[in-house]
Amino acid sequence: MQSTDLGNKESGKIWHRKPSPATRDGIIVNIIHNTSDYHPKVLRFLNVAFDGTGDCLIAGDHQGNIYVFDLYGNRFNLVQRTAQACTALAFNLRRKSEFLVALADYSIKCFDTVTKELVSWMRGHESSVFSISVHASGKYAITTSSDTAQLWDLDTFQRKRKLNIRQSVGIQKVFFLPLSNTILSCFKDNSIFAWECDTLFCKYQLPAPPESSSILYKVFAVTRDGRILAAGGKSNHLHLWCLEARQLFRIIQMPTKVRAIRHLEFLPDSFDAGSNQVLGVLSQDGIMRFINIQTCKLLFEIGSLDEGISSSVISPHGRYIASIMENGSLNIYSVQALTQEINKPPLPLVKVIEDLPKKKLSSSDLKMKVTSGRVQQPAKSRGSKIQTRILKQDLTGDFESKKNELPDGLNKKCLQILLKGYGEYPTKYRMFIWRSLLQLPENHTAFSSLIDKGTHVTFLNLQKKYPIKSRKLLRVLQRTLSALAHWSVIFSDTPYLPLLAFPFVKLFQNNQLICFEVIATLIINWCQHWFEYFPNPPINILSMIENVLAFHDKELLQHFIDHDITSQLYAWPLLETVFSEVLTREEWLKLFDNIFSNHPSFLLMTVVAYNICSRVPLLNCNLKDDFEFFFHHRNNLDINVVIRQVYHLMETTPTDIHPDSMLNVFVALTKGQYPVFNQYPKFIVDYQTQERERIRNDELDYLRERQTVEDMQAEVDQQRVEDEAWYQKQELLRKAEETRREMLLQEEEKIIQQRQRLAAVKRELKVKEMHLQDAARRRFLKLQQDQQEMELRRLDDEIGRKNLTENQAAVAKEMRADADAYRRKVDLEEHMFHKLIEAGETQSQKTQKWKEAEGKEFCLRSAKKASALSDASRKWFLKQEINAAVEHAENPCHKEEPRFQNEQEDSSCLPRTSHLNDSSEMHPSTQISLNRRAVEWDTTEQNLIQKVRNLRQRLTAQARHRCQTPHLLAA
């Protein structure tokens, strides 16, 4: 057993010598990860997952280091450091280089193994994710934690749905069924539901298991065809459910040393069409036991009590088992080495066939025990009788029956009868039947030695001649052809070998060993005598076909002869492509069901039958191109009719021309090592090999010479290029120097122009500065002048206001004195008037006394009114004159407007006392007195008017004097 320590390396080889796993343990390599620090410690692996091809796996340790292990290329690479433990991994996404990892912080991240970059980061879980299930298409993924399961779209990395449950009911596992669109959800209360992925519609629920064998399910596994569900828990019982019938059909009891089941996984097989029969059961003791669920036979086991297994994953093609050990290391097991003893021809078996009764079965009816030797029959219940029949080997059979016996308990004669009845083998069991019919030895060691020789030089440029779209298919074809070329040198020169091998490579691309052995068996048996005329087509084989065609359809053969169509045109294209160009996949599989089940001459008879069944369109062909097109393209032909015609030809062809008399019977490949194939003209092949070697040597010499010439030419070209580059560089430097000189001259001219402009600007600025200084000086002088004028005007205004105030006070004083004098005069006149009235009264007659008294009283009132009106008029006139004088004093420069009219107009505006009284009504003495008083009033009024006029003239003269003063100052 080899052991590899990753240490601090980020990449390297997984093993350093070719692994040879022992049958006892089957370990290819043990991988450990120890740190090289001062205190070294072991980094434990926690999770592992295979990719879709099964040749690569990823593993993560508890520090978040994730490695990719390429088992085919023998390389490992550190692709990510997440810095936290990973709790689940998935590597089978649609984009092959991407993988999902669930981390300890409850998040899920998607990384790329090639670019080592983060693709997406998904959050949503509130507890640790312990399971990631990816849909078969790689488009969806389900992540499961203890409290919820979430469905993600891996194209957009968005969450589509979330499964919420009650807190009391936890989730055990939610996963996709393989190759289907169904989601299976398993809960801690043993309830199992199936949901439609697109609509999340509940399709069905499995019933509760029997109470007598009720266990709490904790682990689950499903076959690749999605028909059988295995469930286990803390018990040594295994429950097998049929998901199509939705019922429990078997309970398997593990050995007593098994107390609890920690992990379940079915072992895939290339020939069981997904109906896996082997189940791996990891128990609490760290041992993983593989049992056959039909026979309940213990096949093999991995792990031990000393080196227990913590968890295991099986590759999709069933070649490898990756197990994380309890000590933290990673073991890679070879399934082929573990099953080497099992694949030997088995001993006679006893198989139990039971008809389930219609009544409900108890757990004892379904219970079977696992044994390591023989098959344990189910225990019969008392209430029902189970019909059984025992299949025993007929020891008295004759030699013919022994000759028809095939591996895996099949009989060739029975298969032929089945084939004639149905026309083909069941698709589900076709590969298994082919393997038995061809008796493939599955020589893993011999095949590995051929593969280890690498790609043959003949097929290095295979993609140029055969451009296949699928890189995987091209790689498998290249490996298979290289293995054939290493097996026998003739196949390195066989031009039609890729055409012959391609349909088998496409059919067995996931199992290259089976592919190689099927092609090798086909060449040894059905391609007998093909290489005797190498490198020409097999003339002897084509002559057999032509003889049979001549016997059964002379007209068609004559038609071929008439148009110069030989067997190399109507037979050889069908043989070298094994009918893959003219048949569909289903037709080709049906045809080879019959070819592999019959004598090797069946293939040659098929060529004749194909021509006979196509005689109508062939007889209508007249051009050689039409014939070539017909035998290289699919035609409207029923393959069932062709097969029936082949059987007819096999029975009706005479013995002397029948190919079976010239071909040997079927011979299987030998076990252990492949037989030597030398059925070809060795001298021709050797000569061709020598010639090819000579040509290759000449070509190598030519290539070396051409390489030398090319190197010399390259050196010359390089020198020329360097010289040209140097000259170009010098020219560029010269041009750059000239350009810089021109730039310097231009810059100097620009500087001179800028200096000139700067001097002009300086002159302009100096002139502007002088103008500004002059303007500022003028503004300052004007400001001083304005301030002086304002000061003069202020002084004039103060003088005017003082004069006006003095004049107004003098006028007011005079007016008050005049008013007082006038008032005293009026009082005196009134007093005299009263005396006169008294004197007149004494002199008046007694009869007029009262009348005169009334008249006097009336006159007195009139006089009072006249006096009041006169006072009011005088006051109004004085006020108007004073206002006019003040206004004139404030606006002395305005043209003086006339303020007073003629005396007549002025006097007409004043109220007259004479208008107030009717002289005819007054007493004569009273009238005289009033007239005298009116004259005095007029005189006084004229005096006041004159005084006001004099005052106005003085104010006008002063105002004119002030108006002339600024002009004198300005002058």
Side-chain angles (χ1 to χ4, degrees), residues 1 27 286 302-309 325-327 331 333:
M1 178 184 70
I27 299 178
I302 58 176
S304 63
L305 296 176
D306 296 331
E307 297 180 356
I309 297 175
M325 312 305 290
E326 292 180 348
N327 59 8
N331 278 359
Y333 295 89

Side-chain angles (χ1 to χ4, degrees), residues 36 101 112 166 186 246 281 289 291 300 313 328 343 351 372 386 388 406 423 458 471 529 646-647 679 708 751 759 900:
S36 58
V101 54
D112 193 296
R166 295 194 304 270
C186 309
R246 303 171 190 174
V281 182
R289 299 170 175 85
I291 63 171
F300 61 92
V313 177
N343 290 333
K351 186 174 182 180
S372 58
I386 299 178
T388 63
L406 299 174
T458 307
R471 296 183 61 86
H529 311 294
V646 175
Y647 281 108
Q679 300 175 7
T708 304
I751 291 172
F900 298 98

Side-chain angles (χ1 to χ4, degrees), residues 646-819:
V646 175
Y647 281 108
H648 175 71
L649 296 177
M650 292 286 289
E651 295 173 358
T652 59
T653 302
T655 306
D656 55 342
I657 62 172
H658 202 294
D660 63 358
S661 62
M662 289 165 274
L663 299 178
N664 297 326
V665 296
F666 174 82
V667 177
L669 296 176
T670 56
K671 186 74 173 177
Q673 293 293 332
Y674 296 117
V676 177
F677 185 81
N678 55 2
Q679 300 175 7
Y680 55 88
K682 192 174 184 301
F683 68 94
I684 294 178
V685 175
D686 292 342
Y687 175 75
Q688 286 190 346
T689 303
Q690 294 173 2
E691 285 296 312
R692 188 170 58 252
E693 189 66 25
R694 183 184 62 79
I695 293 172
R696 184 178 293 111
N697 292 331
D698 294 342
E699 185 178 0
L700 290 175
D701 294 338
Y702 166 73
L703 290 175
R704 281 194 295 270
E705 292 178 0
R706 191 178 69 176
Q707 185 65 34
T708 304
V709 173
E710 289 179 354
D711 292 341
M712 295 175 62
Q713 184 65 33
E715 291 179 1
V716 173
D717 294 340
Q718 181 68 22
Q719 185 64 35
R720 186 176 65 254
V721 170
E722 290 178 356
D723 294 342
E724 291 179 356
W726 186 82
Y727 285 118
Q728 290 178 359
K729 187 175 182 180
Q730 295 298 321
E731 183 66 21
L732 291 174
L733 290 174
R734 185 184 60 80
K735 291 182 179 180
E737 185 178 0
E738 292 179 356
T739 303
R740 282 171 172 75
R741 286 179 180 176
E742 292 177 357
M743 292 174 61
L744 288 174
L745 292 175
Q746 292 176 0
E747 291 295 330
E748 289 177 356
E749 292 178 357
K750 290 181 179 178
I751 291 172
I752 293 171
Q753 294 176 0
Q754 289 177 356
R755 287 176 178 174
Q756 293 175 354
R757 288 196 296 270
L758 182 60
V761 170
K762 285 182 178 179
R763 288 194 298 271
E764 291 179 0
L765 290 175
K766 191 171 289 294
V767 172
K768 288 182 179 179
E769 184 179 1
M770 293 173 64
H771 290 169
L772 290 174
Q773 290 177 355
D774 189 21
R777 183 177 58 80
R778 286 197 300 270
R779 283 197 302 271
F780 181 71
L781 292 175
K782 188 174 182 304
L783 180 61
Q784 288 181 340
Q785 183 179 352
D786 292 341
Q787 290 178 351
Q788 291 176 358
E789 290 179 356
M790 290 176 63
E791 185 67 20
L792 290 174
R793 283 198 298 272
R794 187 178 61 79
L795 293 174
D796 291 340
D797 292 340
E798 289 181 357
I799 292 171
R801 283 195 299 272
K802 288 181 179 180
N803 294 332
L804 182 61
T805 304
E806 292 176 355
N807 293 333
Q808 288 179 352
V811 171
K813 186 175 180 181
E814 289 179 358
M815 290 179 70
R816 282 195 299 273
D818 293 340

Side-chain angles (χ1 to χ4, degrees), residues 242-521:
C242 178
L243 297 181
E244 291 181 340
R246 303 171 190 174
Q247 65 178 2
L248 180 68
F249 73 93
R250 182 164 298 163
I251 299 175
I252 299 177
Q253 182 178 356
M254 298 296 292
T256 55
K257 63 182 71 174
V258 176
R259 298 189 304 273
I261 299 173
R262 294 163 53 182
H263 183 69
L264 292 174
E265 189 160 0
F266 281 96
L267 180 65
D269 193 334
S270 302
F271 300 99
D272 58 10
S275 58
N276 310 134
Q277 304 297 316
V278 179
L279 177 63
V281 182
L282 177 62
S283 57
Q284 88 289 341
D285 56 2
I287 300 175
M288 192 168 187
R289 299 170 175 85
F290 288 83
I291 63 171
N292 188 304
I293 60 174
Q294 297 296 333
T295 63
C296 295
K297 180 181 177 182
L298 178 62
L299 304 179
F300 61 92
E301 60 185 31
I302 58 176
S304 63
L305 296 176
D306 296 331
E307 297 180 356
I309 297 175
S310 176
S311 63
S312 286
V313 177
I314 303 176
S315 63
H317 51 47
R319 295 181 192 169
Y320 306 109
I321 301 174
S323 299
I324 297 177
M325 312 305 290
E326 292 180 348
N327 59 8
S329 64
L330 178 64
N331 278 359
I332 308 297
Y333 295 89
S334 171
V335 176
Q336 188 266 336
L338 292 169
T339 59
Q340 189 170 359
E341 295 295 328
I342 304 171
N343 290 333
K344 291 182 177 180
L347 297 174
L349 300 177
V350 177
K351 186 174 182 180
V352 178
I353 301 175
E354 60 182 40
D355 298 326
L356 294 178
K358 294 184 179 179
K359 76 180 192 67
K360 187 175 180 180
L361 298 178
S362 63
S363 61
S364 61
D365 298 324
L366 306 174
K367 188 179 298 184
M368 298 181 70
K369 294 184 178 180
V370 174
T371 60
S372 58
R374 57 188 179 85
V375 178
Q376 180 73 24
Q377 294 185 359
K380 298 180 182 179
S381 70
R382 298 179 179 179
S384 63
K385 182 178 180 180
I386 299 178
Q387 299 180 1
T388 63
R389 60 186 178 91
I390 302 175
L391 302 178
K392 296 183 179 179
Q393 185 177 6
D394 187 5
L395 302 178
T396 62
D398 55 3
F399 175 76
E400 183 67 25
S401 62
K402 290 183 179 180
K403 185 177 68 173
N404 290 325
E405 287 295 331
L406 299 174
D408 300 322
L410 299 180
N411 185 279
K412 186 174 182 179
K413 207 69 177 177
C414 296
L415 290 176
Q416 289 177 342
I417 296 172
L418 177 67
L419 183 62
K420 287 185 179 180
Y422 291 96
E424 61 179 332
Y425 292 129
T427 303
K428 181 178 179 180
Y429 301 105
R430 175 177 279 122
M431 300 299 105
F432 174 71
I433 294 173
W434 282 17
R435 186 176 67 176
S436 299
L437 287 172
L438 301 179
Q439 302 178 28
L440 302 181
E442 297 188 30
N443 298 327
H444 290 269
T445 305
F447 177 71
S448 298
S449 65
L450 295 176
I451 291 295
D452 292 342
K453 293 180 180 180
T455 303
H456 198 275
V457 65
T458 307
F459 305 109
L460 287 175
N461 298 321
L462 183 66
Q463 68 276 6
K464 295 181 180 179
K465 189 174 181 180
Y466 300 99
I468 301 175
K469 185 177 180 180
S470 173
R471 296 183 61 86
K472 176 185 177 182
L473 193 60
L474 177 64
R475 186 170 62 251
V476 176
L477 177 62
Q478 194 175 39
R479 291 174 184 170
T480 305
L481 296 178
S482 299
L484 290 170
H486 292 310
W487 175 44
S488 180
V489 68
I490 183 66
F491 299 124
S492 62
D493 295 323
T494 305
Y496 56 85
L497 185 63
L499 300 176
L500 184 142
F502 180 74
F504 298 99
V505 170
K506 192 172 183 180
L507 187 64
F508 297 100
Q509 58 181 314
N510 293 326
N511 196 329
Q512 299 177 34
L513 170 64
I514 300 299
C515 178
F516 171 81
E517 293 186 349
V518 168
I519 297 174
T521 304

Side-chain angles (χ1 to χ4, degrees), residues 22-69:
T23 306
R24 179 179 54 83
D25 55 11
I27 299 178
I28 298 176
V29 64
N30 171 253
I31 302 172
I32 59 177
H33 191 188
N34 292 328
T35 60
S36 58
D37 300 334
Y38 182 73
H39 296 288
K41 61 181 179 179
V42 177
L43 299 182
R44 300 172 55 85
F45 286 102
L46 297 180
N47 287 279
V48 64
F50 279 94
D51 67 347
T53 64
D55 292 330
C56 288
L57 60 93
I58 56 174
D61 58 28
H62 70 274
Q63 285 193 352
N65 301 312
I66 299 178
Y67 290 87
V68 171
F69 298 93

Side-chain angles (χ1 to χ4, degrees), residues 634-649:
R634 295 177 183 174
N635 303 294
N636 188 14
L637 190 64
D638 188 358
I639 191 63
N640 296 318
V641 175
V642 176
I643 293 173
R644 286 196 296 269
Q645 182 66 29
V646 175
Y647 281 108
H648 175 71
L649 296 177

Side-chain angles (χ1 to χ4, degrees), residues 291 370 498 552 568 627 857:
I291 63 171
V370 174
H552 290 282
Q568 295 185 22
F627 287 102
E857 185 179 1

